[in-house]
Amino acid sequence: MNTKKLILAPMATLSHEAFRRLVARFGGCDEYFTEMINAGSLQTMGPFEKYYLMAGPEPEKIVWQLTGNRTDYLADAAQILVEQGGLGIDLNMGCSAPQIYKTGAGIAWMIKPRCETEDMVKAVRRVVPDTMRLSVKLRLGDDDFTEDGLMDFCHMLVDSGVQMLTLHPRTKKEKFRGHPRWQFVEMLAKEFPDIPVILNGEVTDSVSYGKAVEAAPSACGVMIARAAAQKPWIFAQLRNPEKRLEVDCEQLALDFIDFVEQFQPQEFWKTRLQRFFAYYCQNFSFAHYFTTQMINADGMDDSRARVKEYFCKCPDDKCRVY
């Protein structure tokens, strides 16, 4: 049985309460990171921000992930999140999407002048109480990163009060291309034995999990992103790979649509369904056809009808045993 911590990654348009409820159905995971919460938007508390603050179904396991480009915004937003409770606050220094880092957020914090990033981390640290954890999710850095530079950067984070590091061992330009260099997770874990270091990147099943843990045995846990969107039961599989797991794939899809209706604003329904089904449909015999059907669905009732129609045509896909 797996003994390392299993964590749901922060994924834009995916790591919301509707999706977390699918994961929880199979026993959940040790920690749920929220999707990125924009610090500036949270301060204004617009009509959609309350949906980013939903902490169910296991609020005691929630980690709020913050993104932003200004120290004052991030510190003020952290104060709002602290009042929501949960395990802690995570600072996003790993998102390499151009629309994020070009504004000075995400991985831009690894590239800015070191003193600017240090001031930001300390400002947020002053807000986070001792009862909660401050963590950072990061990448290796820009394409010209060096091992010494990465270690120096992480020492600055830890010296500034960061209490957990999650490393996605790719560079800014690599995004999701190429194989992640898990050996850097092991280097970090050995460099910082007194804080948890978490591995993130390309863990998609028990085989890749085993390879990742073999490459970074000192890591305290594994964070899973896209594979969890495809298989919300993946944490249950990794926790106890010998246990028989039965999945009603049709009902799970229909329940997700219900959850989105219940826990997301109507303006988000279409994009949330499209994003989830782009991954989930990959489980099935006619993945491209099913994905296209769901992406082109016209509203929630049409989405439900298309789910039922697919499994009626492909009954062997309806229930899976793992």
Side-chain angles (χ1 to χ4, degrees):
M1 182 178 290
N2 169 60
T3 57
K4 289 190 181 294
K5 185 174 288 188
L6 297 173
I7 301 174
L8 177 66
M11 295 178 282
T13 73
L14 272 172
S15 297
H16 44 70
E17 179 161 345
F19 177 67
R20 292 195 297 269
R21 285 180 177 271
L22 292 191
V23 175
R25 177 161 297 178
F26 299 98
C29 54
D30 295 298
E31 298 184 12
Y32 301 87
F33 277 50
T34 66
E35 57 183 321
M36 293 186 297
I37 300 172
N38 182 277
S41 299
L42 185 62
Q43 284 184 298
T44 66
M45 288 304 292
F48 302 129
E49 300 314 306
K50 64 181 180 180
Y51 295 97
Y52 290 92
L53 297 180
M54 286 183 167
E58 298 184 88
E60 70 279 5
K61 296 182 179 181
I62 281 288
V63 179
W64 309 100
Q65 198 195 55
L66 265 179
T67 185
N69 57 9
R70 285 178 46 169
T71 293
D72 55 345
Y73 286 178
L74 285 158
D76 290 345
Q79 181 61 60
I80 295 172
L81 294 174
V82 162
E83 294 169 1
Q84 308 302 313
L87 281 175
I89 308 291
D90 185 75
L91 295 173
N92 184 321
M93 297 189 189
C95 183
S96 60
Q99 67 269 29
I100 299 296
Y101 77 77
K102 285 184 178 179
T103 68
I107 200 172
W109 286 104
M110 296 190 71
I111 302 168
K112 294 180 183 187
R114 185 68 55 85
C115 60
E116 187 176 342
T117 303
E118 182 177 1
D119 288 345
M120 183 273 288
V121 174
K122 289 180 176 178
V124 175
R125 174 69 267 181
R126 286 192 289 271
V127 170
V128 179
D130 292 339
T131 54
M132 297 180 73
R133 183 186 69 207
L134 177 63
S135 60
V136 167
K137 187 173 185 292
L138 70 162
R139 283 181 174 243
L140 295 173
D142 216 339
D143 280 3
D144 60 353
F145 90 99
T146 64
E147 181 182 327
D148 288 343
L150 174 65
M151 293 300 172
D152 287 345
F153 183 82
C154 290
H155 271 287
M156 177 275 291
L157 294 178
V158 174
D159 291 344
S160 300
V162 171
Q163 299 159 294
M164 187 175 91
L165 297 170
T166 301
L167 181 64
H168 182 155
R170 290 185 172 107
T171 65
K172 175 170 74 71
K173 288 186 178 180
E174 285 173 336
K175 296 184 181 179
F176 297 108
R177 298 190 301 271
H179 197 277
R181 285 166 271 187
W182 291 326
Q183 67 269 25
F184 282 101
V185 178
E186 180 66 9
M187 291 179 191
L188 275 188
K190 288 184 174 179
E191 185 76 9
F192 301 101
D194 296 328
I195 68 167
V197 173
I198 308 299
L199 179 150
N200 174 230
E202 294 302 319
V203 174
T204 59
D205 52 26
S206 58
V207 174
S208 56
Y209 174 85
K211 291 179 179 178
V213 170
E214 183 179 3
S218 302
C220 291
V222 173
M223 177 180 282
I224 300 177
R226 293 169 293 167
Q230 180 183 349
K231 298 173 288 188
W233 53 85
I234 190 171
F235 298 108
Q237 287 183 294
L238 296 179
R239 187 182 302 111
N240 194 345
E242 303 303 320
K243 185 177 180 180
R244 176 187 171 93
L245 181 65
E246 297 183 9
V247 181
D248 185 333
C249 299
E250 179 181 9
Q251 191 60 53
L252 198 66
L254 293 172
D255 287 346
F256 179 73
I257 297 171
D258 290 345
F259 289 151
V260 168
E261 240 177 9
Q262 186 176 355
F263 298 106
Q264 292 285 277
Q266 187 171 351
E267 292 86 348
F268 290 5
W269 288 354
K270 182 175 182 178
T271 56
R272 273 36 178 179
L273 261 60
Q274 287 178 332
R275 185 75 187 279
F276 171 74
F277 283 108
Y279 291 108
Y280 186 68
C281 292
Q282 300 308 305
N283 292 302
F284 307 114
S285 302
F286 299 94
H288 178 72
Y289 168 78
F290 195 8
T291 302
T292 302
Q293 286 293 303
M294 298 309 297
I295 287 176
N296 292 326
D298 184 19
M300 306 300 269
D301 288 340
D302 189 36
S303 295
R304 293 184 180 95
R306 291 177 184 229
V307 167
K308 293 175 182 177
E309 180 184 20
Y310 176 81
F311 289 107
C312 181
K313 291 179 177 179
C314 305
D316 290 345
D317 280 349
K318 177 179 168 62
C319 293
R320 293 290 180 90
V321 177
Y322 296 94

